[in-house]
């Protein structure tokens, strides 16, 4: 009886509330016509804009400081959610504040804010999965955790191409190829925005080294940019329609990226028809009028140029109201398009278990098996009784990348004294995911012992009588620094050499944020690239090492033989007068530095360089082994409104596995292009003996070249050779196919 009454009471209350909400909703739309969801984001933005004063518009065009940075405090900073940036709400119009967080491989600063975030594998790691679905899941996880923590905008989405593999942020990006990187960032951002957070892709553009990043002038031809670096952005923008693009710190062909008319107006908002807003990297705005004219919409994180100074510029007639309206419209349009007004952020508890499972699965698909002599892997419980695990704190954790991408590990740094919670900008952070423990679990009948690897002689002794030695090596990376070399630091090459000399059954596991040099490569039996493995890295790794999971990752960047083989053998040091500026965000003022980097390799980014220069490499782009084998056959090329290639992949081994099938094209000679470029890919799962016919539709954009004369991308008529296979250097199928005029 009691419960019946309660039920009725509940029902009645619900009905009354529903009626009231309905009425309120009607009233709300009458007062605020932009709340009508049947209108387009553009129409809704225009309706709000009509009601806004100049002061309110300007409020949308700048940040309000950054909570944890003492020099970047403003009156409204305290209202923010503890993230990297905050745009004020316009409460009388129902426009929410925008709380932004860095979120490259997970939500940043959660430790400082007393929250939890899952660390996914590094972005470069996840790119090595070549898996569009994994990229979507990666973004969706970040989107959910952002919202749960009170954020409605991400600052993730790094897609700078790996022109300079020693760049300290290589781990935050998606490798060296624009088609791979662009497709993956498109999926990642689509997944993220599906969670009603404003998406952002960055750093636009040519921010390819950290040395002098606030002052460096990157010199590069339009053609090279359009066919490489900017193409990755173009694809990502087309596929995900992100709410925002972050312009970078550096200059490009003379002008700072955040006041670069060519980059922002001509290309991004012109050719790419990007409808969202451009925000500056933190402290990357250098002017009011010039930046506004060039198409910067929002200054972060302060209001130095886009606060009172912008208002004055309007009052003085230097910036038109039309231009201000355009900026404000773009902001509001993204708010509506990405759902932050219709689906306001609601803090909640992160589903830790689910997200850990996703992080593990993505890492399992991202690990790349680079070498497997004599079938050393997978480790078989039956023959492996003793394992020597050596080096890189493999007893307690796995490495992560630093800077603004850093995700805080639950419980603090695995190698720091207990109790140390919040992390520091450039601390080397180890996630509490222990390869040693997971290997012990996966090989219950083996004796698995650990040696720290600090003394190569002692490490070799620990390995000498083991059935197998697994040496963990690492290369830490971060924003705000570049690596002097791709060689491993801290004498780790000597460690590997010593262990390999003591035990012929040596496997090396790499935890790196970029490619590494491996002078010992042919002295070890196994090499596994685990990247920065994220929160569940060790479980994923143990699953791959013991064969519970078949490795299916392929390199998203070339591993060269030496630094001397790179397009630039060194990164030029800063001139004396520029020392001290250049790596952390500072408004570098109007003094122009002479520091520049000339990307004269042009179109030859990554594998295109090694191909064109006939340089042998250690491991090519798109390379990775599996515990099974695959064969390719039956290439057919047809064309309707675009070329389409069809071929068959067969699992010729005796285990289930997944293969990344890669399609490259050699363009007609007249184009003057490097020998080949990636134009499509697909990842397929195959049971032993199973075959699948795969169809890859080739987007004409991926076949295009940039025509300097017309300023347009176009497909040149002529003979194209399509090549298909399992790595950029193993392409058993080839077919020449003529493409006529008028494709694009
Ligand atoms: C980085 C950006 C980041 C921003 C906010 C800058 O130093 O370059 O990638 O989003 O800080 O933390």
């Amino acid at each position: 009886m009691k419960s019946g009454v309660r039920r009725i009471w509940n029902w009645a209350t619900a009905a009354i509330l529903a009626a009231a909400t309905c009425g309120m909703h009607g009233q709300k739309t009458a007062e605020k016509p932009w709340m009508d969801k049947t209108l387009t984001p553009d129409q809704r933005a225009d309706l709000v804009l009509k009601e806004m004063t100049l002061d309110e518009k300007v409020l949308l065009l700048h940040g309000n400081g950054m909570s944890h940075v003492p020099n970047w405090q403003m009156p409204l900073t305290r209202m923010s959610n503890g993230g990297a940036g905050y745009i004020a709400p316009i409460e009388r119009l129902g426009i929410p504040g925008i709380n932004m967080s860095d979120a490259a491989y997970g939500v940043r600063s959660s430790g400082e804010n007393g929250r939890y975030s899952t660390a996914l594998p590094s972005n470069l790691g996840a790119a090595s999965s070549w898996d569009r679905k994994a990229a979507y899941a990666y973004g969706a996880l970040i989107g959910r955790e952002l919202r749960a923590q009170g954020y409605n905008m991400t600052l993730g989405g790094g897609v700078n191409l790996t022109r300079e593999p020693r760049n300290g942020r290589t781990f935050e990006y998606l490798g060296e190829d624009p088609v791979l990187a662009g497709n993956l960032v498109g999926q990642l951002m689509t997944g993220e925005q599906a969670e009603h957070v404003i998406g952002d892709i960055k750093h636009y553009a040519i921010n390819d080294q950290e040395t002098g990043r606030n002052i460096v002038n990157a010199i590069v031809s339009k053609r090279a940019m359009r066919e490489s670096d900017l193409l990755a952005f173009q694809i990502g923008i087309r596929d995900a329609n992100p709410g925002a693009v972050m312009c970078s710190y550096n200059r490009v062909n003379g002008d700072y990226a955040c006041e670069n008319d060519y980059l922002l107006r001509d290309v991004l908002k012109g050719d790419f028809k990007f409808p969202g807003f451009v925000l500056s990297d933190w402290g990357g705005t250098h002017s009011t009028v010039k930046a506004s004219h060039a198409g910067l919409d929002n200054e972060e994180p302060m209001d130095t140029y886009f606060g009172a100074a912008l208002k004055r510029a309007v009052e003085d007639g230097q910036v038109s109201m039309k231009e201000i309206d355009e900026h404000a419209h773009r902001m509001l349009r993204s708010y509506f398009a990405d759902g932050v007004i219709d689906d306001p952020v609601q803090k909640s508890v992160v589903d830790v278990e689910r997200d850990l499972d996703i992080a593990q699965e993505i890492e399992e698909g991202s690990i790349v098996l680079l070498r497997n002599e004599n079938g050393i892997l997978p480790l078989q419980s039956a023959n492996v009784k003793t394992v020597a695990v050596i080096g890189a704190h493999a007893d307690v954790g796995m490495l992560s990348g630093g800077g603004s991408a850093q995700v805080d590990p639950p419980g603090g740094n695995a190698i720091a004294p207990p109790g140390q919670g919040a992390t520091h900008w450039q601390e080397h952070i180890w996630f509490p995911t222990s390869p040693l423990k997971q290997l012990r679990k996966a090989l219950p009948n083996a004796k698995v012992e650990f040696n720290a690897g600090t003394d190569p002689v002692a490490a070799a002794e620990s390995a000498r009588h083991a059935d197998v030695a697994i040496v963990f090596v690492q290369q830490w990376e971060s924003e705000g620094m570049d690596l002097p070399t791709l060689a491993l630091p801290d004498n780790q090459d000597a460690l590997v050499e010593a262990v390999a000399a003591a035990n012929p059954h040596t496997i090396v596991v790499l935890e790196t944020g970029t490619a590494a040099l491996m002078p010992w490569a042919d002295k070890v039996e196994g090499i596994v690239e685990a990247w920065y493995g994220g929160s569940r890295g060790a479980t994923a790794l143990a699953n791959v090492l013991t064969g519970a999971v078949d490795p299916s990752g392929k390199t998203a960047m070339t591993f060269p033989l030496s630094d001397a083989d790179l397009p630039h053998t060194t990164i030029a040091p800063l001139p004396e007068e520029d020392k001290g500026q250049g790596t952390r965000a500072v408004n570098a003022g109007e003094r122009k530095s002479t520091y520049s980097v000339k990307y004269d390799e042009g179109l030859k980014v990554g594998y295109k360089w090694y191909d064109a220069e006939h340089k042998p490499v250690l491991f090519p782009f798109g390379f990775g082994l599996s515990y099974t084998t695959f064969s390719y056959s039956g290439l057919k090329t047809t064309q309707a409104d675009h070329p389409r290639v069809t071929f068959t992949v067969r699992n010729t081994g005796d285990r289930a596995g997944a293969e990344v099938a890669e399609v490259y094209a050699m363009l007609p000679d007249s184009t003057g292009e490097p020998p080949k470029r990636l134009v499509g890919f697909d990842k397929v799962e195959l049971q032993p003996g199973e075959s699948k016919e795969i169809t890859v539709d080739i987007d004409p954009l991926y076949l295009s070249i940039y025509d300097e004369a017309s300023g347009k991308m176009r497909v040149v008529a002529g003979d194209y050779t399509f090549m298909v296979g399992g790595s950029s250097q193993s392409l058993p199928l080839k077919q020449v196919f003529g493409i006529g005029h008028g494709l694009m």
Side-chain angles (χ1 to χ4, degrees):
M1 178 66 192
K2 217 170 159 196
S3 61
V5 171
R6 163 117 336 139
R7 228 180 296 132
I8 291 165
W9 188 89
N10 281 348
W11 176 85
T13 320
I16 293 162
L17 277 177
T21 328
C22 221
M24 260 158 47
H25 186 257
Q27 203 185 332
K28 225 157 118 194
T29 1
E31 275 169 23
K32 299 191 170 89
W34 51 86
M35 292 310 292
D36 178 353
K37 294 185 193 168
T38 62
L39 302 175
T40 66
D42 282 308
Q43 290 169 325
R44 296 174 76 179
D46 280 339
L47 287 169
V48 183
L49 208 51
K50 271 200 214 143
E51 303 295 321
M52 289 174 83
T53 64
L54 175 59
D55 283 317
E56 285 170 335
K57 291 173 190 169
V58 170
L59 263 190
L60 293 184
L61 308 185
H62 64 79
N64 288 281
M66 192 172 174
S67 320
H68 302 290
V69 180
N71 297 343
W72 280 345
Q73 298 298 307
M74 287 175 61
L76 296 188
T77 311
R78 64 187 164 74
M79 279 173 63
S80 83
N81 188 48
Y86 178 59
I87 303 175
I90 316 282
E91 272 160 10
R92 81 178 178 93
L93 302 174
I95 304 302
I98 300 299
N99 269 300
M100 310 169 190
S101 176
D102 282 301
Y105 62 90
V107 181
R108 178 197 182 191
S109 289
S110 46
E112 271 168 336
N113 293 318
R115 301 169 190 153
Y116 164 84
S117 300
T118 306
L120 287 147
S122 63
N123 305 76
L124 178 68
S128 311
S129 73
W130 291 59
D131 186 340
R132 292 179 174 87
K133 285 195 205 110
Y136 184 96
Y138 193 107
L141 182 154
I142 293 176
R144 282 195 305 276
E145 292 199 3
L146 280 166
R147 270 178 74 83
Q149 296 187 33
Y151 295 107
N152 51 8
M153 177 164 171
T154 175
L155 300 172
V159 69
N160 295 77
L161 286 197
T162 312
R163 270 190 188 272
E164 173 46 79
R166 288 159 299 200
N167 174 2
R169 301 189 84 169
T170 303
F171 73 97
E172 285 186 57
Y173 303 139
L174 299 165
E176 68 191 24
D177 182 83
V179 171
L180 179 64
N183 272 273
L184 294 181
V185 83
Q187 287 307 304
L188 188 149
M189 257 326 129
T190 305
E192 213 156 321
Q193 293 200 143
E195 301 297 326
H196 309 303
V197 295
I198 298 176
D200 161 56
I201 64 179
K202 68 185 186 185
H203 306 89
Y204 189 78
I206 326 290
N207 182 183
D208 296 343
Q209 66 174 50
E210 288 293 282
T211 306
R213 67 174 179 174
N214 296 89
I215 49 175
V216 66
N217 182 23
I219 302 168
V220 56
S221 76
K222 285 183 179 170
R223 177 166 175 187
M225 281 196 275
R226 291 297 301 266
E227 291 184 32
S228 308
D229 318 74
L230 304 191
L231 179 60
F233 281 91
Q234 182 174 7
I235 298 168
I237 289 167
R238 178 198 67 188
D239 291 356
N241 199 1
V245 167
M246 184 191 293
C247 51
S248 57
Y249 284 130
N250 52 293
R251 288 182 281 146
V252 178
N253 295 332
D255 281 330
Y256 284 110
C258 290
E259 55 184 42
N260 194 307
D261 212 54
Y262 174 72
L263 286 180
L264 303 183
R265 281 237 179 263
D266 295 355
V267 179
L268 182 65
K269 294 181 173 181
D271 290 350
F272 298 172
K273 301 190 171 46
F274 170 63
F277 65 91
V278 177
L279 77 165
S280 73
D281 200 343
W282 269 228
T285 308
H286 296 279
S287 61
T288 300
V289 177
K290 182 172 178 183
S292 172
H293 286 348
L296 178 70
D297 300 298
N298 178 283
E299 174 188 3
E300 288 298 329
M302 305 291 284
D303 66 349
T304 318
Y305 297 99
F306 271 38
L310 186 57
K311 186 178 173 196
R312 261 197 318 275
V314 177
E315 288 162 351
D316 295 352
Q318 293 189 71
V319 169
S320 68
M321 189 59 97
K322 185 162 169 264
E323 198 167 290
I324 295 292
D325 283 349
E326 190 208 316
H327 297 317
H329 173 98
R330 285 172 173 275
M331 304 294 304
L332 293 165
R333 185 203 175 278
S334 292
Y335 292 14
F336 285 113
D338 291 339
V340 302
I341 295 182
D342 296 335
D343 292 282
V345 151
Q346 216 154 16
K347 284 194 182 179
S348 62
V349 176
V350 168
D351 186 343
V352 179
E353 289 300 329
R354 171 173 66 164
D355 288 355
L356 285 173
D357 286 348
I358 294 170
Q360 178 183 328
E361 205 179 308
I362 295 176
E363 171 67 353
E364 285 169 349
S366 303
I367 291 171
V368 185
L369 177 61
L370 293 169
R371 184 175 167 87
N372 194 13
E373 291 301 294
N374 309 319
I376 178 88
L377 288 167
L379 300 175
Q380 312 277 355
S381 279
N383 346 333
V384 177
K385 297 290 173 233
T386 47
V387 182
V389 171
I390 296 163
H393 304 291
D395 53 337
V396 291
M398 288 182 82
L399 192 56
S400 60
S404 60
Q406 183 70 59
V407 173
D408 295 334
N413 193 344
I415 65 159
Q420 191 173 315
T423 58
H424 308 290
W425 205 61
Q426 285 200 332
E427 191 181 327
H428 297 210
I429 305 286
W430 298 75
F431 264 75
T433 175
S434 154
L436 180 67
K437 274 195 203 150
Q438 293 307 325
L439 279 165
R440 282 184 175 151
K441 216 160 141 186
L443 296 168
N445 302 322
K447 201 163 150 231
V448 186
E449 300 290 0
F450 179 70
N451 176 285
T454 39
D455 170 10
V457 177
E461 264 336 289
S462 78
R464 195 172 306 279
H465 303 293
D467 293 334
V468 174
I470 308 179
V471 189
F472 284 76
V473 295
Q474 51 81 20
Q475 171 81 282
W476 178 82
E477 264 188 12
S478 170
E479 176 181 345
M481 51 85 81
D482 290 321
L483 299 174
T485 163
L486 293 177
L488 296 172
D490 308 331
N491 217 20
Q492 294 179 94
D493 287 338
L495 173 68
V496 176
E497 299 268 2
V499 174
N503 189 326
H505 305 303
T506 295
I507 297 160
V508 176
V509 174
L510 295 117
E511 295 173 49
T512 67
T514 182
L517 306 181
M518 303 179 211
W520 35 259
D522 55 8
K523 297 186 189 149
V524 299
E525 283 192 321
I527 304 178
V528 174
E529 176 58 89
W531 311 108
Y532 299 148
S535 295
R536 276 268 186 88
T539 316
L541 177 67
N543 281 345
V544 168
L545 293 177
T546 57
V549 167
D550 186 61
S552 63
K554 303 230 172 153
T555 50
M557 67 183 292
T558 307
F559 281 56
L561 281 165
S562 80
D563 290 324
D565 291 333
L566 298 173
H568 306 270
T569 53
T570 54
I571 297 179
L574 286 178
E576 211 41 55
E577 69 273 17
D578 289 327
K579 294 229 163 97
Q581 341 198 9
T583 47
R584 273 233 73 172
V586 282
N587 283 325
E590 295 316 303
R591 186 182 68 83
K592 286 240 166 113
S593 158
T594 54
Y595 185 61
S596 63
V597 51
K598 192 167 185 188
Y599 290 116
D600 47 11
E601 73 284 359
L603 297 169
K604 293 180 275 180
V605 182
Y607 61 92
K608 295 169 187 163
W609 166 257
Y610 302 97
D611 275 2
E613 302 290 317
H614 306 289
K615 283 180 191 284
V617 299
L618 179 60
F619 299 112
F621 173 76
F623 171 78
L625 302 168
S626 151
Y627 296 144
T628 185
T629 45
F630 301 96
S631 71
Y632 285 79
S633 62
L635 174 62
K636 286 189 293 275
T637 310
T638 54
Q639 181 176 343
D641 49 351
H642 54 254
R644 162 175 287 183
V645 297
T646 315
F647 53 91
T648 299
V649 183
R650 181 179 164 82
N651 181 343
T652 48
D654 53 10
R655 298 180 45 117
E659 169 72 337
V660 176
E662 304 165 31
V663 183
Y664 294 81
M666 186 200 292
L667 272 57
D669 282 350
S670 65
T671 58
E673 287 289 312
K676 64 173 174 290
R677 53 162 75 170
L678 182 75
V679 293
F681 61 94
D682 200 2
K683 190 165 188 172
V684 313
E685 286 180 20
L686 292 167
Q687 293 304 313
E690 193 189 1
S691 307
K692 270 188 194 156
E693 191 178 68
I694 299 183
T695 297
V696 178
D697 288 318
I698 312 291
D699 187 326
L701 180 63
Y702 307 165
L703 295 171
S704 301
I705 66 159
Y706 178 73
D707 178 17
E708 299 263 2
S710 66
K712 298 268 172 274
M713 297 289 281
R714 67 182 180 94
V715 179
V716 172
D719 281 346
Y720 287 70
T721 308
F722 289 104
M723 296 169 274
V724 179
S727 114
S728 64
Q729 286 191 9
S730 166
L731 298 165
L733 308 182
K734 277 192 184 45
Q735 192 172 39
V736 180
F737 188 75
I739 293 180
H741 291 283
L743 190 60
M744 188 170 146

